[in-house]
């Protein structure tokens, strides 16, 4: 098998994933003949309600949670906002939030604007990361105070794939009586998670990161955790999130979670091997290519590589000419010309941060696609460096 000229080689799965065929098949009846409202008392709506309950169980099974701890939302961003705003409303006497310097904009920008949302002054501690993107647990412990309402730390970074010790961090906050939230959008479906064995209070996920459609997410709320809804309205989601349920997408997310559980081994073996082959090939065939992030403590599908003295946007444009899809960082900030805030926080040199490319694979990627990228990338980088005065100046 080879890659045809018109074939799209998609390696931007941390931005979004294709909807799995099995997921689409599961959704279709609820977009056509099974259109009843799941909250209705009649049988026609009741069978739809049963499908929502089954999906809730499938999500809970993937997370190692109970179905009653699963709240369906519209996306990961809504889930993040709901968890953080719930915590600070629960403890109005506390005015401190702890997060990191490398969070997704869904958390970063919310914490930047808490005063606007609440009308009260808040201060936040943004934890530094090491050069390899990891966190220092002692520094985290030192950041906690009696005024801390919530800690929000992503389970895995969306740009580098670096995994944070959120289970240990949640245990520490539990001892201090502080709520803990993790944005697990990138981690769910890629690494095993068992929330019953953790002290995590809130967890966010987004369907379109694990082969479900866009527009559906989940907020896990540990049983017994104080909670104030973000969206008030009807009695849906046990009064925790108003609004008629997005049934077809909920069913699709349930199916995607069941598929992710079944394919977890493949994610951590075959997909990891493809990622490693791609990474090793790029680092050995292209001079002054740098890996961003811890070499081992990462998601199995993610490789973030900087190519010094070239612009990431120019690299992507040339890759696009070969139908290769990747990213220069988070899809939510791809319109910015500023280097990644994640790479800046890691201390990646300016000459490298601007030329960073994130490759993120999925179970649908093949070895032939990896070989195709390895064939095309050296020439792309060489062509761009030939036009770069910075490359010439630094490699005389």
């Amino acid at each position: 098998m080879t890659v045809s000229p018109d074939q799209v080689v998609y390696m931007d799965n941390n931005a979004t994933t294709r909807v799995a065929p099995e997921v689409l098949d599961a959704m279709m009846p609820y977009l056509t003949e099974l259109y009843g409202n799941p909250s209705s008392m009649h049988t026609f709506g009741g069978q739809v309600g049963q499908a929502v309950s089954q999906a809730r169980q499938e999500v809970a099974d993937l997370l190692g949670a109970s179905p009653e701890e699963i709240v369906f939302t519209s996306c990961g961003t809504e889930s993040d906002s709901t968890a953080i705003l719930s915590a600070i409303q629960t403890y109005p006497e506390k005015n401190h939030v702890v997060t990191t310097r490398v969070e997704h904009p869904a958390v970063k920008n919310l914490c930047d604007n808490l005063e606007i949302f609440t009308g009260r002054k808040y201060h936040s501690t943004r934890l530094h990361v090491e050069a390899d993107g990891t966190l220092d647990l002692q520094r985290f412990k030192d950041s906690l105070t009696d005024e801390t309402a919530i800690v929000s730390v992503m389970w895995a970074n969306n740009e580098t794939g670096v995994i944070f010790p959120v289970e240990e961090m949640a245990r520490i906050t539990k001892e201090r009586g502080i709520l803990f939230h993790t944005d697990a959008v990138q981690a769910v479906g890629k690494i095993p998670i068992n929330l019953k064995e953790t002290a995590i209070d809130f967890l966010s996920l987004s369907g379109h990161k694990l082969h479900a459609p866009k527009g559906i997410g989940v907020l896990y709320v540990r049983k017994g955790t104080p909670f104030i809804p973000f969206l008030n309205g009807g009695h849906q989601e046990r009064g925790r999130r108003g609004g008629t349920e997005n049934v077809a997408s909920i069913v699709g997310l349930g199916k995607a979670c069941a598929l992710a559980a079944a394919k977890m081994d493949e994610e951590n073996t075959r997909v990891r091997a493809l990622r490693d082959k791609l990474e090793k090939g790029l680092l050995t065939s292209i001079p002054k290519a740098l890996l961003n992030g811890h070499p081992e403590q990462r998601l199995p599908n993610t490789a973030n590589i900087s190519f010094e003295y070239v612009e990431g946007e120019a690299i992507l444009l040339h890759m696009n000419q070969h139908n290769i899809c990747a990213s220069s960082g988070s899809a939510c900030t791809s319109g910015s010309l500023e280097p990644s805030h994640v790479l800046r926080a890691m201390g990646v040199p300016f000459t490298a941060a601007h030329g960073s490319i994130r490759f993120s694979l999925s179970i649908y990627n093949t070895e032939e696609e990896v070989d195709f990228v390895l064939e095309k990338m050296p020439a792309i980088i060489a062509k761009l460096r030939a036009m770069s005065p910075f490359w010439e100046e630094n490699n005389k």
Side-chain angles (χ1 to χ4, degrees), residues 57-80:
Q57 182 66 62
E58 290 169 326
V59 174
D61 289 344
L62 180 62
L63 297 178
S66 298
E68 60 269 20
E69 296 175 311
I70 303 302
V71 180
F72 289 114
T73 67
S74 65
C75 60
T77 297
E78 182 193 329
S79 299
D80 290 341

Side-chain angles (χ1 to χ4, degrees), residues 2-9 320-324 372 376:
T2 58
V3 175
S4 61
D6 58 345
Q7 179 179 336
V8 173
V9 177
N320 188 58
Q321 293 175 3
H322 299 286
N323 288 331
I324 301 171
F372 182 77
K376 300 300 181 182

